[in-house]
Amino acid sequence: MSRKKSLALTLLGILPVFALAQSVQAINPALQSLSEYYADIPYSVVLLLSSIVSLVVIPVSSASGALAGRKVSYRALSITAMACVLAGGVLPYWVMANFPLTLICRMVVGVGIGIASPLSSALIMKLLPPEKQALWQGVGTAVMNLCGVFYQSVSGIVCLRDVRYIWLVYGIVLIPLILVLFFLQEPASAPAAASSGKKGALPAGAVLTCLGFGLLYLFLSPVLLNISSILVNEGIGSSATAGTILSAYSVGGMAAGFIFGGVYKLLGRWTIPVSLLLQVLGLAGCAFGRNVALIGVSTVLFGVAIHWIWPACIMEFSRLPDGKGALASGLFISALNLGTFLGSPLIGLVETVTGNADPRLPVIVGFFGTAIVAAVWIAAKLREKA
């Protein structure tokens, strides 16, 4: 078999695992319709159908990263993840009238996404040669964002016909499941002699990287959550405009993924510092911009930046000793989801502390928080030895 054909078959097994990460977004366009369907349930409780998934992902992704390739095979975990998302995603079509059971199904989806989240990047580290890893980490990130756009777009369309049809969108996960069953290879186990030192302990630098990325997502969340309110309240746009801007964020993420390999080859260890500066600039435009064009461009900018930082961090984890890359990836995804989940409480905290309900204020706080994280992270990078 030729090298190119072998690489293509390997990627047919790996890239479908990236497709699960954004499947949580499949119901987001229908949240208003869901609140109308569950008219006797408070809106904040209905929102759990979305947020509970991220909450479940936090512990599960860490556990998956710790078990992968050590206690449980990558193939078994990947297949289990696909099955959980497929079953938990589609089942509510038949049990939707029972809200508690529907919520349990959403938790099963969270288990599936949590299992898969650290595996995708770890599989690239394990199965591809080092010179190919940056390119395909970026493409994997692009696939993840592309799938997010697909889930939301299709869900929004079918919701117009019947809100129950949004659950059937998860049927598409059957395709990644089949690809994984036929093409995903099990990475070779690391030689026993390669293990040394403290088993299971991550270097402090890897832990701090996970913490820093979680904080970036925490400070980014107010933009994604409040953009519609900002545009409408200030009379500079509508909810449709906000939807376009949020789509631009995903498009920026896709573009970033496709060109990440070239960027990483050019910038190397400076990829993260440069991306952090772009992230700060993007948040500044959203925090202080007063027109749709500036906010839109700024959203694309931080969409690109955050999706360069993500695979660049994973590339750093690939150099960890004793096969700890999957463990670090699991903690990384947990931090990301924790930061995302805490976005809403951060907005509430800002309002409570300041007594100001202006939706732009948490975005400004997020900008300054991002600037602080970027300054500390860049300073740490400057102190690193090449």
Side-chain angles (χ1 to χ4, degrees):
M1 185 183 297
S2 69
R3 185 173 299 179
K4 286 186 177 180
K5 187 174 181 181
S6 177
L7 175 63
L9 292 176
T10 300
L11 291 169
L12 275 176
I14 297 174
L15 293 179
V17 184
F18 281 93
L20 293 190
Q22 299 290 345
S23 62
V24 61
Q25 298 185 23
I27 72 164
N28 288 359
L31 286 174
Q32 181 58 39
S33 298
L34 286 168
S35 70
E36 294 169 3
Y37 182 89
Y38 297 112
D40 56 339
I41 297 176
Y43 182 65
S44 59
V45 178
V46 174
L47 288 180
L48 284 174
L49 292 172
S50 179
S51 61
I52 197 72
V53 177
S54 295
L55 191 60
V56 172
V57 167
I58 295 168
V60 175
S61 58
S62 291
S64 176
L67 294 173
R70 299 181 179 188
K71 302 293 185 181
V72 187
S73 72
Y74 282 88
R75 273 184 58 84
L77 286 172
S78 298
I79 293 168
T80 300
M82 301 279 180
C84 285
V85 175
L86 179 60
V90 172
L91 185 59
Y93 175 78
W94 291 280
V95 302
M96 189 173 173
N98 187 325
F99 183 80
L101 186 54
T102 301
L103 195 60
I104 290 172
C105 290
R106 296 299 293 166
M107 294 174 71
V108 173
V109 171
V111 170
I113 295 174
I115 292 173
S117 294
L119 302 183
S120 50
S121 295
L123 285 167
I124 285 181
M125 289 188 270
K126 293 280 188 179
L127 294 175
L128 299 186
E131 66 274 12
K132 299 284 187 182
Q133 290 178 7
L135 171 64
W136 290 105
Q137 290 286 4
V139 172
T141 303
V143 168
M144 179 181 66
N145 281 282
L146 181 61
C147 289
V149 173
F150 172 83
Y151 291 129
Q152 292 188 84
S153 300
V154 176
S155 177
I157 292 170
V158 300
C159 180
L160 295 175
R161 187 173 182 86
D162 188 330
V163 69
R164 292 193 314 140
Y165 291 166
I166 63 171
W167 308 114
L168 297 181
V169 174
Y170 281 95
I172 197 69
V173 175
L174 183 61
I175 296 175
L177 175 57
I178 292 171
L179 290 172
V180 165
L181 282 169
F182 281 97
F183 297 109
L184 182 60
Q185 306 166 26
E186 181 64 26
S189 300
S195 297
S196 61
K198 296 181 180 178
K199 289 186 177 181
L202 284 175
V207 175
L208 291 175
T209 294
C210 296
L211 174 62
F213 195 74
L215 288 173
L216 288 181
Y217 256 87
L218 170 63
F219 295 132
L220 173 64
S221 293
V223 179
L224 304 180
L225 293 171
N226 280 7
I227 190 66
S228 180
S229 298
I230 291 171
L231 297 180
V232 173
N233 289 358
E234 297 182 6
I236 57 177
S238 63
S239 57
T241 310
T244 301
I245 289 175
L246 291 176
S247 295
Y249 166 74
S250 296
V251 170
M254 283 189 286
F258 282 123
I259 64 174
F260 174 75
V263 170
Y264 191 76
K265 185 176 181 180
L266 176 66
L267 298 178
R269 63 191 289 259
W270 301 110
T271 303
I272 291 177
V274 170
S275 301
L276 286 167
L277 292 175
L278 294 178
Q279 182 81 359
V280 172
L281 287 174
L283 266 292
C286 289
F288 305 108
R290 299 290 171 175
N291 63 77
V292 170
L294 178 56
I295 294 174
V297 171
S298 299
T299 303
V300 173
L301 187 60
F302 70 68
V304 169
I306 198 74
H307 289 102
W308 278 347
I309 297 170
W310 186 330
C313 291
I314 299 298
M315 290 302 298
E316 292 191 353
F317 296 156
S318 70
R319 296 190 289 271
L320 291 176
D322 302 333
K324 292 173 184 171
L327 181 61
S329 296
L331 181 60
F332 184 81
I333 297 299
S334 294
L336 182 163
N337 280 278
L338 182 59
T340 301
F341 183 79
L342 292 177
S344 293
L346 173 63
I347 292 171
L349 179 64
V350 171
E351 181 178 344
T352 300
V353 171
T354 63
N356 187 342
D358 182 356
R360 187 180 284 271
L361 186 57
V363 177
I364 295 174
V365 171
F367 159 71
F368 284 109
T370 300
I372 292 170
V373 172
V376 173
W377 203 333
I378 292 172
K381 282 290 179 186
L382 290 174
R383 294 182 62 181
E384 281 184 1
K385 294 181 180 179

